[in-house]
Amino acid sequence: MTSDQTPAQRLPTLEDVAQVAGVSRATVSRVINNIRNVDPQLHKVVWDAVTATGYVPNRAARSLVTGRTGAIALVVSEAENRAADDPFLGAFFSDPFFGRVVGGVLSVLRPSGVHLALVLAGDEDACAKVVSDVRQGQVDGVVVLSLHPHDPLPRLLADAAVPAVLYGRPAAPMPISYVDVATYQGAKLAADHLVARGCQHVATISGSVDMPAGVDRLNGFREAMAKQGVAYVPSYDGGFTQEGGERAMERLLAEHPEVDGVFVASDVMAQGVMTVLREAGKSVPDDVAVIGFDDSSAALATRPQLTTVRQPVEDMAAEMARLLLTRIDQRANRTTSVIFDPDLVARASA
């Protein structure tokens, strides 16, 4: 009996990959099926051989062997069920922050052969479907960017005890893993820097005070200034938007024209703050020093460029993926938090 395929047409097999990699077929199978305790160097050798041979793993067979799909979802959970052409979604997905998160997650998933699916969850039905997809084996777990303090998804995931990791501390205590930055420490870096510059009349533009990041950055800055002997720090809520930063800075100048140093809880708000200062004839940093938070693309777009507290987004996103893969492997309900240290990036604004 003869085959209809010529040798050139024959699909590459595990044996072909093993021969190119110089390892056993069993080792190739362990790597491709994402079974742990394989030497990281062998991992790379095998996946290089997969690329060289053009071998395509049979995902259905792999799922039968491992009980997993080999895919996780990156869920962007937002308060409104927006249309695909909504300007908000366009602005969010074009923001380098989102790209940095995706890049960090993929840096861990690619070597493991795990696929990433993007999911938008804009209402309670969509959130419930995310949980259902994990339970039904459509994906093995989820990493979540939650953009609203009253988002139901984190609680749904926690109650269902499915593999999930959040970017940022959840708004309410719950048994779910998360990765965050040491916000109080970052606010202290900003406070100490302004004091060291000799600022005498310091204020802050906070983020939304119904969000953990907004509350923590505000309270952390106030506490750090209190330790510097400053009992009262005026604060105005900028809502984490550029327009909100503009409105808050206008109020601050009207009510505290003596201000000479401002800690702004996000770089995006700081863009609006610096626009208002420029229009008011204030020089940055000679008249008013400005410090932001995040070290996002907005920090480099301001004139002068923004001194800011940096959170290591790529490293944080990579840790989310590692925590999730560990959780999936162990099939346990233990939750974990990982807190990264921030850095102050000194530029021309302060």
Side-chain angles (χ1 to χ4, degrees):
M1 182 175 180
T2 60
S3 169
D4 291 333
Q5 287 185 314
T6 66
Q9 294 173 316
R10 182 177 64 83
L11 294 176
T13 65
L14 280 179
E15 287 77 8
D16 296 327
V17 176
Q19 184 175 1
V20 171
V23 299
S24 69
R25 184 185 188 282
T27 297
V28 173
S29 178
R30 283 169 60 82
V31 170
I32 289 176
N33 288 322
N34 199 29
I35 296 173
R36 296 291 182 253
N37 301 321
V38 178
D39 186 290
Q41 290 186 335
L42 277 181
H43 229 280
K44 182 177 187 308
V45 168
V46 169
W47 281 109
D48 285 348
V50 168
T51 301
T53 59
Y55 176 74
V56 178
N58 185 323
R59 293 185 65 189
R62 173 175 165 177
S63 180
L64 287 173
V65 172
T66 64
R68 304 177 196 140
T69 66
I72 70 168
L74 170 58
V75 180
V76 179
S77 187
E78 213 274 317
E80 300 177 29
N81 195 10
R82 301 174 186 266
D85 59 351
D86 187 287
F88 173 88
L89 292 178
F92 176 77
F93 290 122
S94 64
D95 190 313
F97 169 80
F98 178 71
R100 293 170 68 189
V101 171
V102 172
V105 171
L106 287 177
S107 72
V108 172
L109 298 189
R110 279 198 188 108
S112 300
V114 177
H115 298 270
L116 182 67
L118 174 63
V119 176
L120 304 180
D123 57 25
E124 290 196 16
D125 288 342
C127 291
K129 186 177 186 307
V130 169
V131 177
S132 175
D133 285 348
V134 183
R135 280 177 158 169
Q136 294 178 14
Q138 302 299 314
V139 292
D140 296 321
V142 295
V143 290
V144 182
L145 294 177
S146 182
L147 307 181
H148 192 273
H150 306 299
D151 183 359
L153 182 58
R155 174 60 67 184
L156 290 172
L157 292 167
D159 289 346
V162 297
V165 182
L166 300 183
Y167 189 102
R169 178 169 60 87
M174 63 185 71
I176 191 167
S177 296
Y178 67 87
V179 173
D180 206 349
V181 68
T183 303
Y184 268 67
Q185 182 181 338
K188 182 180 186 300
L189 291 173
D192 292 349
H193 191 77
L194 290 174
V195 170
R197 281 188 58 88
C199 296
Q200 298 294 313
H201 305 284
V202 173
T204 182
I205 307 297
S206 74
S208 302
V209 293
D210 59 354
M211 298 180 68
V215 173
D216 290 349
R217 295 176 194 186
L218 173 60
N219 290 342
F221 186 71
R222 282 176 164 165
E223 182 177 303
M225 291 303 300
K227 290 180 178 179
Q228 293 281 0
V230 179
Y232 172 64
V233 175
S235 67
Y236 297 84
D237 189 337
F240 283 125
T241 68
Q242 183 172 341
E243 295 77 11
E246 291 177 1
R247 290 191 297 269
M249 193 64 217
E250 287 168 352
R251 286 187 58 198
L252 174 57
L253 284 178
E255 297 175 20
H256 297 276
E258 73 281 4
V259 65
D260 60 359
V262 184
F263 168 53
V264 189
S266 79
D267 296 343
V268 170
M269 289 193 299
Q271 282 186 303
V273 165
M274 293 176 72
T275 296
V276 170
L277 288 171
R278 183 173 57 251
E279 292 174 350
K282 300 283 188 178
S283 172
V284 177
D286 296 333
D287 296 327
V288 182
V290 179
I291 298 179
F293 200 111
D294 290 332
D295 196 27
S296 66
S297 59
L300 299 178
T302 61
R303 292 295 179 269
Q305 290 188 344
L306 186 65
T307 294
T308 186
V309 178
R310 179 180 184 272
Q311 56 173 326
V313 174
E314 292 87 353
D315 293 341
M316 293 167 67
E319 186 62 22
M320 290 172 70
R322 279 189 286 268
L323 288 178
L324 184 62
L325 292 182
T326 299
R327 169 82 162 76
I328 292 167
D329 280 350
Q330 293 177 349
R331 301 181 184 273
N333 293 335
R334 182 176 179 271
T335 58
T336 305
S337 60
V338 178
I339 309 299
F340 283 77
D341 291 330
D343 297 305
L344 184 80
V345 182
R347 297 192 180 97
S349 71

